[in-house]
Amino acid sequence: MPGYRDLFDASITDPEAFWADAATAVTWTRAPQRILDDSRPPFYRWFPDAELNTCANALDRHVDAGRGEQAALIYDSAVTDTQRTYTYRELTDHTARFAGALRDLGVGQGDRVIIYMPMIPEAVIAMLACARLGAVHSVVFGGFAPHELAVRIDDVQPAVIVSASCGIEPTRIVEYKPMLDAAIGMSEHPPRHCVVVQRDTHRCELIEGRDLDWSDAMAAASPVDPVPVAATDPLYVLYTSGTTGKPKGIVRDNGGHAVALLWSMKHIYDIAPGDVFWAASDVGWVVGHSYIVYAPLLLGATTVLYEGKPVGTPDPGAFWRVISEHGVKALFTAPTAIRAIRKEDPEGKHVGEYDLSTLKYLYLAGERLDPDTYHWAAEKLGVPVIDHWWQTETGWPIAANPMGTEQFPIKAGSPTVPMPGFDVHILREDGSGCAPEQEGAICIRLPLPPGTLPTLWHADARYEQSYLSEYPGYYLTGDGGHFDTDGYLFVMGRIDDVINVAGHRLSTGAIEEVLATHPAVAECAVIGVPDEIKGQAPRGLVVVKAGASTDGLAAELIQLVRDEIGAVAAFRLVDVVPALPKTRSGKILRKTMRGLATGRDEPVPSTIEDPTVLEKLGPILRP
Ligand code: COA
Ligand code: AMP
């Protein structure tokens, strides 16, 4: 088998030949004759004349190939103490029937369906059912508050929303239905119908005429066959935080997505059909889309859907129990989960209580993997711990240590090397390339490979402006970093106002917009500060209006962010400060404050309006 260098070089010098070869792993209803449509740069389309159905590739074809009785999905709920296994045949039957239920509600090809659900099998079934119909799903993470859901409803304009009566967090029941109703009440484009899974833990009221009980809808429906769609048709829209309060609707196509994910499972993750793969994430995030749902199923592997936490459900041995009970070959999670486990079980005693002999790899992504966490995991688990770097936008890893191709010596702190198709460059502000060891903006030369975003939902101009305008011919990742002299990439952190809290991507701008609505707040800034477990935490700095009281203000602001954005923002740090440092043109010096808060010596811009403001902030911000 060719090594990494051969594959990477081939993908850059002749991308069409490279991806045409990879595309043979997909079952097409119309095989691609053309591989890349580059007639409208900077917009590129992969497999422009091909047709397929993603759901048929993820389910039916495995049943047809004799894998019908193999486990497709293992649901393991630590919070309800339930386990359920779906074979490929069963998952296909449920999905075909739910697709029928959606069709009965008028959902057809190209229509949108929002999925606002906890980690239960029905969430996966709903996603696949949309794919089966050629409808476009948009999953909204359950930790978001009604306002965030309403913003997504209005942008994507769903025909139907699929939800559940509740989610179960270790310390509380999260009632989804009141949040769903509130969001629909706020939105200008309400769905015609909602389908609601009634969970035994807590049942909810349904609105007659609008809402259907999942079980009733299933009982009344008949199964439907997969609908072939163009490879370039959207499979889903997944909203992610940008630098402003308005989330970006990342579009994923059908064809490029299937090709790239299949390629990644074999060549990066070293997973074969029949292996058990577990991404301990949430279907509301891109990791959940790609590596809980689509990639393992496209390959014919077995995926684990875990409803629970790394700690507290019931203890820090939860992950090791799941691995041993289900024979997991590779676990994929975020460094924050490992830090949480390590904090409660520093000696790794729980690791020793389980048979982890099936585990071959631990993959970590979602935030920077700090060397301490890397060393702890590598030592306690005794398997390769693979840091890899990617984004909602790319859908699969930009850089990794490709276990299925060639195993590079690991350098702690580096996600190793760029993956085929990702022509990564480190650029200075003037657009010139950085030398090894020199820090700059991490950019990817266009075209991006299959599986990455072709555009933003109904926002081509915003796509160009956000990602492609700063360095013409390149995609701006928003991360800063460098290559070392061995060609290893180091991703050091965001260079914009996006932060990563417990592997969850948040916009400081969105939190600022909420704080600014409080009547006592004159102006505010939110920055990411280091957090021992979550990597980063948002910290708000507010200046109050003259004469406004600060009594109880911090608690009110914390509640406001929780109500407007959601518990997931984990917003708990607020300081009232006399003033915010600004340039003479009035721009708040967030980068300089970030530097202070992380203990880095950020140069103070010469355009600063009043240096004493910064001096006064020093003692408050410094770690
Ligand atoms: N629905 C509703 N609420 C949710 C939720 C969901 N799906 N997921 C999280 N929340 C809530 C939590 O209950 C918590 O609420 P609280 O403030 O009332 O305690 C809040 O959102 C913050 O959640 P989180 O940041 O996850 O913190 P935590 O203390 O509950 O757990 C970790 C910390 C590290 C255990 C947890 O973040 C984790 O397992 N992370 C793994 C990372 C991950 O999955 N990343 C995805 C990308 S790979
Ligand atoms: P998301 O779109 O939520 O997956 O977040 C993507 C962002 O998370 C990236 O732009 C990085 O800032 C960060 N990230 C993800 N994986 C890594 C990694 N392995 N190392 C450093 N940062 C990472």
Side-chain angles (χ1 to χ4, degrees):
M1 204 164 101
Y4 162 77
R5 181 45 61 190
D6 291 339
L7 283 179
F8 181 80
D9 289 350
S11 78
I12 302 302
T13 51
D14 193 353
E16 295 195 61
F18 184 89
W19 293 112
D21 183 44
T24 58
V26 168
T27 302
W28 305 91
T29 48
R30 186 185 142 98
Q33 306 300 310
R34 246 183 112 189
I35 304 304
L36 175 65
D37 175 2
D38 55 2
S39 59
R40 205 167 62 92
F43 295 90
Y44 297 88
R45 294 286 183 273
W46 289 97
F47 313 111
D49 59 6
E51 283 182 8
L52 77 161
N53 182 278
T54 295
C55 177
N57 272 273
L59 297 177
D60 307 62
R61 72 164 172 165
H62 304 309
V63 178
D64 296 344
R67 292 186 168 277
E69 305 321 311
Q70 183 200 305
L73 182 137
I74 300 170
Y75 168 57
D76 184 311
S77 171
V79 290
T80 58
D81 205 13
T82 313
Q83 291 191 14
R84 206 181 317 146
T85 298
Y86 293 74
T87 63
Y88 269 99
R89 188 180 309 284
E90 288 165 340
L91 196 59
T92 308
D93 290 348
H94 281 80
T95 301
R97 192 168 287 280
F98 191 63
L102 288 175
R103 192 189 50 186
D104 293 345
L105 294 175
V107 175
Q109 190 176 346
D111 288 338
R112 277 81 57 210
V113 174
I114 280 189
I115 298 172
Y116 182 57
M117 293 177 91
M119 287 284 285
I120 54 177
E122 288 83 351
V124 178
I125 292 167
M127 292 165 77
L128 292 165
C130 290
R132 195 170 190 84
L133 291 172
V136 181
H137 63 69
S138 187
V139 183
V140 178
F141 179 62
F144 281 123
H147 171 73
E148 289 291 316
L149 177 57
V151 168
R152 288 154 174 80
I153 292 174
D154 281 338
D155 201 58
V156 85
Q157 302 186 11
V160 169
I161 299 186
V162 187
S163 189
S165 54
C166 70
I168 302 161
E169 287 292 294
T171 55
R172 68 199 157 101
I173 303 290
V174 181
E175 290 188 35
Y176 275 58
K177 190 60 181 6
M179 295 198 282
L180 175 64
D181 290 342
I184 292 175
M186 287 176 209
S187 62
E188 285 169 20
H189 299 277
R192 289 191 300 272
H193 293 287
C194 298
V195 183
V196 182
V197 177
Q198 293 279 19
R199 302 189 75 183
D200 292 339
T201 314
H202 167 85
R203 297 178 71 82
C204 64
E205 294 288 318
L206 300 182
I207 296 177
E208 212 173 311
R210 189 197 73 183
D211 300 342
L212 277 93
D213 183 317
W214 171 286
S215 322
D216 296 342
M218 285 291 263
S222 33
V224 296
D225 288 335
V227 176
V229 298
T232 52
D233 280 346
L235 170 68
Y236 68 77
V237 179
L238 177 59
Y239 287 87
T240 190
S241 301
T243 52
T244 67
K246 189 172 159 45
K248 293 169 169 166
I250 306 299
V251 175
R252 193 81 61 214
D253 68 11
N254 276 273
H257 175 250
V259 171
L261 289 190
L262 275 165
W263 190 91
S264 75
M265 282 307 266
K266 177 173 172 197
H267 293 88
I268 301 179
Y269 294 100
D270 189 25
I271 297 296
D275 286 344
V276 182
F277 187 79
W278 175 27
S281 177
D282 189 287
V283 288
W285 307 116
V286 67
V287 175
H289 281 62
S290 293
Y291 293 107
I292 295 175
V293 182
Y294 286 109
L297 297 178
L298 284 165
L299 186 73
T302 300
T303 187
V304 178
L305 182 77
Y306 173 69
E307 186 182 30
K309 302 271 170 178
V311 293
T313 56
D315 57 38
F319 275 18
W320 322 134
R321 174 190 66 76
V322 173
I323 293 169
S324 69
E325 284 185 14
H326 306 304
V328 170
K329 178 174 175 184
L331 165 63
F332 178 168
T333 189
T336 189
I338 303 298
R339 286 196 296 269
I341 294 170
R342 177 187 175 189
K343 185 165 184 224
E344 292 203 5
D345 182 17
E347 309 298 324
K349 289 199 187 98
H350 287 268
V351 178
E353 288 169 12
Y354 297 94
D355 173 6
L356 302 186
S357 55
T358 58
L359 187 73
K360 294 282 171 289
Y361 308 106
L362 171 64
Y363 293 98
L364 296 173
E367 53 174 325
R368 184 172 150 74
L369 172 58
D370 53 287
D372 268 5
T373 304
Y374 163 75
H375 288 299
W376 187 85
E379 190 209 317
K380 298 298 176 219
L381 294 174
V383 298
V385 174
I386 308 302
D387 181 12
H388 57 324
W389 169 58
W390 51 301
Q391 314 183 307
T392 307
E393 288 84 346
T394 64
W396 61 286
I398 309 166
N401 194 337
M403 291 293 107
T405 303
E406 184 172 339
Q407 306 197 353
F408 287 86
I410 290 171
K411 291 195 190 186
S414 166
T416 319
V417 287
M419 287 300 89
F422 289 104
D423 190 4
V424 175
H425 293 257
I426 313 288
L427 301 182
R428 297 194 187 92
E429 269 179 32
D430 66 5
S432 61
C434 292
E437 307 289 354
Q438 244 177 18
E439 195 111 347
I442 312 182
C443 299
I444 306 167
R445 195 197 290 271
L446 298 175
L448 295 175
T452 57
L453 80 171
T455 188
L456 295 176
W457 180 252
H458 288 180
D460 281 354
R462 188 174 181 206
Y463 169 61
E464 277 194 88
Q465 187 254 322
S466 307
Y467 300 104
L468 310 176
S469 61
E470 199 150 325
Y471 297 101
Y474 292 86
Y475 164 85
L476 177 74
T477 65
D479 282 304
H482 63 268
F483 278 111
D484 74 2
T485 46
D486 295 328
Y488 279 60
L489 182 66
F490 286 77
V491 181
M492 305 310 290
R494 298 289 303 197
I495 48 178
D496 55 16
D497 294 323
V498 167
I499 57 172
N500 240 291
V501 179
H504 309 322
R505 177 164 157 185
L506 298 170
S507 153
T508 55
I511 303 176
E512 286 174 9
E513 281 179 26
V514 173
L515 296 181
T517 62
H518 191 286
V521 172
E523 58 180 357
C524 62
V526 174
I527 55 171
V529 296
D531 180 275
E532 191 196 346
I533 299 296
K534 297 189 177 192
Q536 278 189 302
R539 179 164 183 185
L541 303 164
V542 298
V543 180
V544 293
K545 289 179 185 157
S549 161
T550 55
D551 280 355
L553 180 62
E556 282 172 31
L557 292 173
I558 289 168
Q559 190 60 41
L560 193 61
V561 172
R562 197 177 168 93
D563 292 345
E564 291 296 308
I565 296 183
V568 66
F571 182 70
R572 292 193 181 94
L573 306 171
V574 191
D575 289 287
V576 176
V577 295
L580 292 170
K582 291 183 190 161
T583 61
R584 282 192 285 276
S585 60
K587 200 168 165 283
I588 295 176
L589 294 171
R590 292 182 179 76
K591 193 172 169 211
T592 314
M593 289 194 285
R594 270 202 312 260
L596 265 181
T598 36
R600 268 198 325 259
D601 268 336
E602 278 297 334
V604 178
S606 58
T607 52
I608 189 164
E609 187 190 32
D610 177 0
T612 63
V613 172
L614 199 60
E615 281 159 24
K616 283 187 199 139
L617 271 184
I620 301 176
L621 283 182
R622 252 186 263 282

